[in-house]
Amino acid sequence: MYRLFILAKCDLGHAEECGEAIAELDDVSEVYSVTGGHDLLIKVTFDDLQSISDFVQDHLHRIPHLRETETMMSFRVYGQDIGDFVN
Amino acid sequence: MYRLFILAKCDLGHAEECGEAIAELDDVSEVYSVTGGHDLLIKVTFDDLQSISDFVQDHLHRIPHLRETETMMSFRVYGQDIGDFVN
Amino acid sequence: MYRLFILAKCDLGHAEECGEAIAELDDVSEVYSVTGGHDLLIKVTFDDLQSISDFVQDHLHRIPHLRETETMMSFRVYGQDIGDFVN
Amino acid sequence: MYRLFILAKCDLGHAEECGEAIAELDDVSEVYSVTGGHDLLIKVTFDDLQSISDFVQDHLHRIPHLRETETMMSFRVYGQDIGDFVN
Amino acid sequence: MYRLFILAKCDLGHAEECGEAIAELDDVSEVYSVTGGHDLLIKVTFDDLQSISDFVQDHLHRIPHLRETETMMSFRVYGQDIGDFVN
Amino acid sequence: MYRLFILAKCDLGHAEECGEAIAELDDVSEVYSVTGGHDLLIKVTFDDLQSISDFVQDHLHRIPHLRETETMMSFRVYGQDIGDFVN
Amino acid sequence: MYRLFILAKCDLGHAEECGEAIAELDDVSEVYSVTGGHDLLIKVTFDDLQSISDFVQDHLHRIPHLRETETMMSFRVYGQDIGDFVN
Amino acid sequence: MYRLFILAKCDLGHAEECGEAIAELDDVSEVYSVTGGHDLLIKVTFDDLQSISDFVQDHLHRIPHLRETETMMSFRVYGQDIGDFVN
Amino acid sequence: MYRLFILAKCDLGHAEECGEAIAELDDVSEVYSVTGGHDLLIKVTFDDLQSISDFVQDHLHRIPHLRETETMMSFRVYGQDIGDFVN
Amino acid sequence: MYRLFILAKCDLGHAEECGEAIAELDDVSEVYSVTGGHDLLIKVTFDDLQSISDFVQDHLHRIPHLRETETMMSFRVYGQDIGDFVN
């Protein structure tokens, strides 16, 4: 399983509709409003790398009023209590 | 429920032991190695605000080889399939 | 009680009307013009986390001529003379 | 009345003692732990400009484990409910 | 006496007219073209804090082709030969 | 006449002695404590370019506890009331 | 042989068509979607320096929806198993 | 196949030995000296995600004189002439 | 003699015409395409400071498609083989 | 012919000896003290790419008190009056 985290900025006054729309997308597991300079922190899980590319470019980046994204891929999970999340 | 996300840098060569040690801390629910300029993305959940302060200063910031942290508090969760995570 | 601090930039020539409009919003307790690269420092107090999300997205981010915001949530107050501000 | 706001970083693991020590200083009215890249947001009020210089250099910057500060001076207060804070 | 220093960027090709216009404003004592990433360094002197707010928002920020400003307030003057500039 | 402006950071707790020492240097005409991320704004005037190099490297950069400097040279003065400052 | 690496940002929703179009350009040997703040990492190989200039300005920078580029030229290759890539 | 790209800074005067040592590591396919603010651009290929974590933390980050790294994972390859590199 | 160095960005696809146009300007002695985040590095030599101001604002900043500039003035030349370049 | 430009920072108080030492190195054609955040702008010319690598790592980066460098390679020269500099 692949996990991608995305920090996103939206046009002012549109973070809520961006957040709702992104939460509807396939593969998206969590969407949070966060403090700081970004509006949203998004967690997406995939079964293969090609899906990540399709998700970012065909779905996420077409959400209206999304302004900028920074993506981080997880390549390891620490700790035991996360059990079956370990790849 | 409060959710705090933390992007952390560790001293070079020590991200793994930092990650393992942080995953052992109370309240920590997820710790990931991530690509980019940071080493770890950490998710912590709390029942009250005071616990956040104790966690960051008394526990997280005392992990050896942790070098720098940037914290983000979530104040809203989007979407329906996250069910009982909504505060 | 939750306290959110916001550093904001406005379109040039509009910081005054932004500042006045923000000071009128519910929950806003203090609005200052500040030196540096930002125009305003805003302090808002809330009774619950959900109100923060509504405030930022439904009220603050809809103020005309607001250009960019950076939010910081307080999770601890130091010192004794602040008395009943401690959560 | 002069109001100075200070965003401060402390050495890791020392934000709490920094915060407590700063809250003890004369003229300091509020000290908060905040999310983001800084540890503390400090509000100080003065009766004259010379006191600001003394405060920053003789008191604040001598607090052990303080690492970096960014200061902002307020030159205007917006809104009505702050009443007698207006200079 | 209050001294405010402002680093300003102008739209390309307009720094000269910006500089001339700013030099005409009340309270402005010095305006320089400077090397680096900013176009102008401006020094303004005031008798009271309220005038600073009026100057920045009602006069400076309305100069056509001004693009971005960063303000710094002086709170102390060093040395003896500046004599009567000391507040 | 050449005018050089310098934004300087000092080691924490040493801005005052840095400021005093710099104000004693030949050619230095004004030294201010300023708000923001820097500690001092320094104005120096020279009769020739070679003196600038000597000043920065032989005098300014040898002041104890100076940590970082950013220099800006003025190449034009705007406005009329500065009279004989125009080169 | 000259190797130029380019980190590129595209307009949101257009990274895929940018990537496909760049991969069609002469001299381009590899184009990758990457995590982080950039969309694409591009590797181009040339036989002479003049071709680099023509490539960047006449071909790469005319790809629609390309927004920003940062170029790095390689001036040395390390290791043995890259064999005939060494210039 | 997974591809990880790493921009690295080394201690001054040690980029060459860092580059040579990194080129010796398993999984490393290309190491280049590059212009700009970084010293090296490294390409590594893996068969599974867990190996990435081991590589970065157990091997790369233990190279003496390595100072800072920024990692980017590729999640898509564009164009046809790269043939069997497509995952 | 005064030497001014300018790092410039142009609108995408226009660096070549910018470079050609700038090379035609009086006082410009060298114009290079450079790697990194800027497009051009320009060297200009002047006989007096006032000419610098005229050059930057009346000529350089009016070149179409120039987007951003950062200027650096040289105040000393090192070494002997540059002979008559020493001011 | 290859031209490499280097922006360098030195330890405070050592820019002059750094500049003198760098000007003595083979291939270095020009070394300037510059305003801004860097201390030196260096121009080096080479006959082959391999020499660039040797110069940067074996000679430049071993100059005592050099702290940080940013390199830019020129890949095109504009204008006619530079005549025989065109590669």
Side-chain angles (χ1 to χ4, degrees):
Chain A
M1 191 172 68
Y2 301 88
R3 285 176 212 81
L4 189 72
F5 295 93
I6 302 152
L7 283 165
K9 285 189 192 182
C10 308
D11 293 330
L12 280 186
H14 294 276
E16 187 169 340
E17 71 190 85
C18 273
E20 295 290 7
I22 291 167
E24 302 280 316
L25 295 176
D26 283 352
D27 302 321
V28 171
S29 59
E30 300 167 48
V31 182
Y32 303 98
S33 276
V34 286
T35 56
H38 290 90
D39 295 299
L40 303 171
L41 174 62
I42 305 156
K43 182 183 176 183
V44 203
T45 54
F46 304 96
D47 289 328
D48 60 286
L49 273 182
Q50 177 59 43
S51 302
I52 295 180
S53 177
D54 294 346
F55 171 79
V56 173
Q57 290 169 14
D58 295 347
H59 297 99
L60 180 68
H61 281 182
R62 293 198 173 153
I63 295 289
H65 296 297
L66 193 76
R67 205 167 58 181
E68 203 179 302
T69 62
E70 176 154 356
T71 55
M72 294 173 281
M73 196 182 291
S74 163
F75 49 83
R76 178 141 183 209
V77 183
Y78 291 98
Q80 296 144 319
D81 54 334
I82 314 185
D84 36 34
F85 279 88
V86 182
N87 47 74
Chain B
M1 193 172 67
Y2 301 87
R3 285 175 210 81
L4 190 72
F5 296 93
I6 302 152
L7 283 164
K9 287 190 189 182
C10 307
D11 292 331
L12 281 186
H14 295 277
E16 188 168 338
E17 71 190 85
C18 273
E20 295 290 5
I22 291 168
E24 303 281 317
L25 295 176
D26 283 352
D27 301 322
V28 170
S29 59
E30 302 168 46
V31 182
Y32 303 98
S33 275
V34 286
T35 57
H38 289 90
D39 295 299
L40 303 171
L41 174 62
I42 305 154
K43 182 182 174 183
V44 202
T45 55
F46 304 95
D47 288 329
D48 60 285
L49 272 183
Q50 177 59 41
S51 303
I52 296 181
S53 176
D54 294 347
F55 170 79
V56 172
Q57 290 169 12
D58 295 347
H59 298 99
L60 180 67
H61 281 182
R62 292 194 176 159
I63 295 289
H65 297 297
L66 193 75
R67 206 167 56 183
E68 200 180 305
T69 62
E70 175 154 356
T71 54
M72 294 173 281
M73 195 182 292
S74 162
F75 48 83
R76 178 143 184 208
V77 184
Y78 292 98
Q80 296 143 318
D81 54 334
I82 313 183
D84 37 33
F85 279 87
V86 182
N87 45 73
Chain C
M1 191 172 67
Y2 301 87
R3 285 175 212 81
L4 189 73
F5 296 93
I6 302 151
L7 284 164
K9 286 190 191 182
C10 307
D11 293 330
L12 280 187
H14 293 277
E16 187 168 339
E17 72 190 83
C18 272
E20 295 289 6
I22 292 167
E24 302 281 317
L25 295 176
D26 282 352
D27 302 321
V28 170
S29 60
E30 300 167 47
V31 182
Y32 303 98
S33 276
V34 285
T35 56
H38 289 91
D39 295 299
L40 303 171
L41 174 61
I42 305 155
K43 182 183 176 184
V44 203
T45 54
F46 303 95
D47 288 329
D48 60 285
L49 273 182
Q50 177 59 43
S51 302
I52 295 180
S53 177
D54 293 347
F55 171 79
V56 173
Q57 291 168 13
D58 295 347
H59 297 99
L60 181 67
H61 281 182
R62 295 199 171 151
I63 295 289
H65 297 297
L66 193 75
R67 204 167 58 181
E68 204 180 303
T69 61
E70 176 155 356
T71 54
M72 295 173 281
M73 195 182 293
S74 163
F75 48 82
R76 177 139 183 211
V77 183
Y78 291 98
Q80 296 143 319
D81 53 334
I82 315 185
D84 36 35
F85 280 87
V86 182
N87 47 75
Chain D
M1 192 172 68
Y2 302 87
R3 285 176 211 82
L4 190 73
F5 295 93
I6 302 152
L7 284 164
K9 286 189 191 183
C10 308
D11 292 332
L12 281 186
H14 294 277
E16 188 168 337
E17 72 191 82
C18 272
E20 294 290 6
I22 291 167
E24 301 282 317
L25 295 176
D26 283 351
D27 301 323
V28 171
S29 58
E30 302 168 45
V31 182
Y32 303 98
S33 276
V34 286
T35 57
H38 290 90
D39 295 299
L40 303 171
L41 173 62
I42 305 154
K43 182 182 174 183
V44 202
T45 54
F46 304 95
D47 287 329
D48 60 285
L49 272 183
Q50 177 58 42
S51 304
I52 296 181
S53 176
D54 294 346
F55 171 79
V56 173
Q57 291 169 11
D58 295 346
H59 298 99
L60 180 67
H61 281 181
R62 294 196 173 156
I63 295 289
H65 296 298
L66 193 75
R67 205 167 56 182
E68 201 180 304
T69 61
E70 176 155 356
T71 54
M72 294 173 281
M73 195 182 292
S74 163
F75 49 82
R76 179 143 182 207
V77 184
Y78 291 98
Q80 296 143 318
D81 53 335
I82 314 183
D84 36 33
F85 280 87
V86 182
N87 46 74
Chain E
M1 192 172 67
Y2 301 88
R3 285 174 212 82
L4 189 72
F5 296 94
I6 302 151
L7 284 164
K9 286 190 191 182
C10 308
D11 292 330
L12 280 186
H14 294 277
E16 188 170 338
E17 71 190 84
C18 272
E20 294 290 7
I22 291 167
E24 302 280 317
L25 294 176
D26 284 352
D27 301 321
V28 171
S29 59
E30 300 167 48
V31 182
Y32 303 99
S33 276
V34 286
T35 56
H38 290 91
D39 295 298
L40 304 172
L41 174 63
I42 305 156
K43 182 182 175 184
V44 203
T45 53
F46 303 95
D47 288 328
D48 60 286
L49 273 182
Q50 177 60 42
S51 302
I52 296 181
S53 176
D54 294 346
F55 171 79
V56 172
Q57 291 169 12
D58 295 346
H59 297 100
L60 180 68
H61 280 182
R62 294 199 172 151
I63 296 289
H65 296 297
L66 194 75
R67 204 166 59 182
E68 203 179 304
T69 62
E70 177 155 355
T71 55
M72 294 173 281
M73 195 183 291
S74 162
F75 48 83
R76 176 137 184 212
V77 184
Y78 292 98
Q80 296 143 319
D81 54 334
I82 315 184
D84 35 35
F85 281 87
V86 182
N87 46 75
Chain F
M1 194 172 67
Y2 300 87
R3 283 175 212 83
L4 190 72
F5 295 93
I6 301 151
L7 284 164
K9 285 189 191 183
C10 308
D11 292 331
L12 280 187
H14 294 276
E16 187 168 338
E17 73 191 81
C18 273
E20 294 290 5
I22 292 167
E24 301 282 317
L25 295 175
D26 284 351
D27 302 323
V28 170
S29 59
E30 301 167 46
V31 182
Y32 303 98
S33 276
V34 286
T35 56
H38 290 90
D39 295 299
L40 304 171
L41 174 63
I42 305 155
K43 182 183 175 183
V44 203
T45 55
F46 304 95
D47 287 330
D48 60 286
L49 272 183
Q50 177 58 43
S51 304
I52 296 180
S53 176
D54 293 348
F55 170 80
V56 173
Q57 291 169 13
D58 294 347
H59 298 98
L60 180 67
H61 281 181
R62 294 194 174 158
I63 295 288
H65 295 298
L66 193 74
R67 205 166 57 182
E68 200 180 306
T69 61
E70 175 154 357
T71 54
M72 294 172 281
M73 195 182 293
S74 163
F75 48 83
R76 178 143 182 207
V77 184
Y78 291 99
Q80 295 143 319
D81 53 336
I82 313 183
D84 36 35
F85 279 88
V86 181
N87 46 74
Chain G
M1 191 171 65
Y2 301 88
R3 285 176 212 80
L4 189 73
F5 295 93
I6 302 151
L7 284 164
K9 286 189 191 182
C10 307
D11 292 330
L12 280 186
H14 295 276
E16 187 168 338
E17 71 189 85
C18 273
E20 295 289 7
I22 291 168
E24 302 280 317
L25 294 177
D26 283 351
D27 302 321
V28 170
S29 59
E30 301 167 47
V31 182
Y32 303 98
S33 276
V34 286
T35 56
H38 290 91
D39 295 299
L40 304 171
L41 175 62
I42 305 156
K43 183 183 175 184
V44 202
T45 55
F46 303 95
D47 289 329
D48 60 286
L49 272 183
Q50 177 59 44
S51 302
I52 295 180
S53 177
D54 293 347
F55 170 79
V56 173
Q57 291 169 13
D58 295 347
H59 298 100
L60 180 67
H61 280 181
R62 294 196 174 156
I63 296 290
H65 295 298
L66 193 75
R67 206 168 56 182
E68 203 179 303
T69 62
E70 177 155 355
T71 55
M72 294 173 281
M73 195 181 292
S74 162
F75 48 82
R76 177 139 184 211
V77 184
Y78 291 98
Q80 296 144 318
D81 54 335
I82 314 185
D84 36 34
F85 280 89
V86 182
N87 46 73
Chain H
M1 193 171 68
Y2 301 87
R3 284 174 210 82
L4 189 72
F5 295 93
I6 302 151
L7 284 164
K9 286 189 192 183
C10 308
D11 291 331
L12 280 186
H14 295 276
E16 187 168 339
E17 71 191 84
C18 273
E20 294 290 5
I22 292 168
E24 302 281 316
L25 295 176
D26 282 351
D27 302 323
V28 170
S29 58
E30 302 167 45
V31 182
Y32 303 99
S33 276
V34 286
T35 56
H38 290 89
D39 294 300
L40 303 171
L41 175 63
I42 305 155
K43 182 182 174 183
V44 203
T45 55
F46 304 95
D47 288 329
D48 60 285
L49 273 183
Q50 176 59 42
S51 303
I52 296 180
S53 177
D54 293 346
F55 171 79
V56 172
Q57 290 169 14
D58 294 347
H59 297 99
L60 180 68
H61 281 182
R62 293 196 174 155
I63 295 289
H65 296 298
L66 193 75
R67 205 167 56 182
E68 201 180 305
T69 61
E70 175 154 357
T71 55
M72 294 172 282
M73 195 182 291
S74 163
F75 49 82
R76 178 143 184 207
V77 184
Y78 291 98
Q80 296 143 320
D81 53 333
I82 314 183
D84 36 34
F85 280 88
V86 182
N87 45 74
Chain I
M1 192 170 67
Y2 302 87
R3 285 176 212 80
L4 189 73
F5 295 93
I6 302 150
L7 284 164
K9 286 189 190 182
C10 308
D11 292 331
L12 280 186
H14 294 277
E16 187 168 338
E17 71 189 85
C18 273
E20 294 290 7
I22 291 168
E24 302 281 317
L25 295 176
D26 283 351
D27 302 321
V28 171
S29 60
E30 300 168 48
V31 182
Y32 303 98
S33 275
V34 286
T35 56
H38 290 92
D39 296 298
L40 303 171
L41 174 62
I42 305 156
K43 182 183 175 184
V44 203
T45 54
F46 303 95
D47 289 329
D48 61 286
L49 272 183
Q50 177 59 43
S51 302
I52 296 180
S53 177
D54 293 346
F55 171 79
V56 172
Q57 291 169 12
D58 295 346
H59 298 100
L60 180 67
H61 280 182
R62 295 199 172 152
I63 296 289
H65 295 298
L66 193 74
R67 205 167 57 181
E68 202 179 305
T69 62
E70 177 154 354
T71 54
M72 294 173 280
M73 195 182 293
S74 162
F75 48 83
R76 177 141 182 210
V77 183
Y78 291 98
Q80 296 142 320
D81 54 334
I82 315 184
D84 35 35
F85 280 88
V86 182
N87 45 74
Chain J
M1 191 171 68
Y2 301 87
R3 283 175 212 83
L4 189 73
F5 296 93
I6 302 151
L7 284 164
K9 286 190 191 182
C10 308
D11 291 330
L12 280 187
H14 295 277
E16 187 169 337
E17 73 190 82
C18 273
E20 294 290 6
I22 292 167
E24 302 281 316
L25 295 176
D26 283 351
D27 301 323
V28 170
S29 59
E30 302 167 47
V31 182
Y32 303 99
S33 275
V34 286
T35 56
H38 290 90
D39 295 299
L40 302 172
L41 174 62
I42 306 156
K43 182 183 175 184
V44 203
T45 54
F46 303 95
D47 288 328
D48 61 285
L49 273 183
Q50 177 59 42
S51 304
I52 295 181
S53 177
D54 293 347
F55 170 79
V56 173
Q57 290 169 13
D58 295 347
H59 297 99
L60 180 67
H61 280 181
R62 292 192 175 159
I63 295 289
H65 296 299
L66 193 75
R67 204 166 57 181
E68 200 179 306
T69 60
E70 175 154 357
T71 54
M72 294 173 281
M73 195 182 292
S74 163
F75 48 82
R76 177 142 185 208
V77 184
Y78 291 97
Q80 296 143 321
D81 53 334
I82 313 184
D84 36 35
F85 280 88
V86 182
N87 46 74

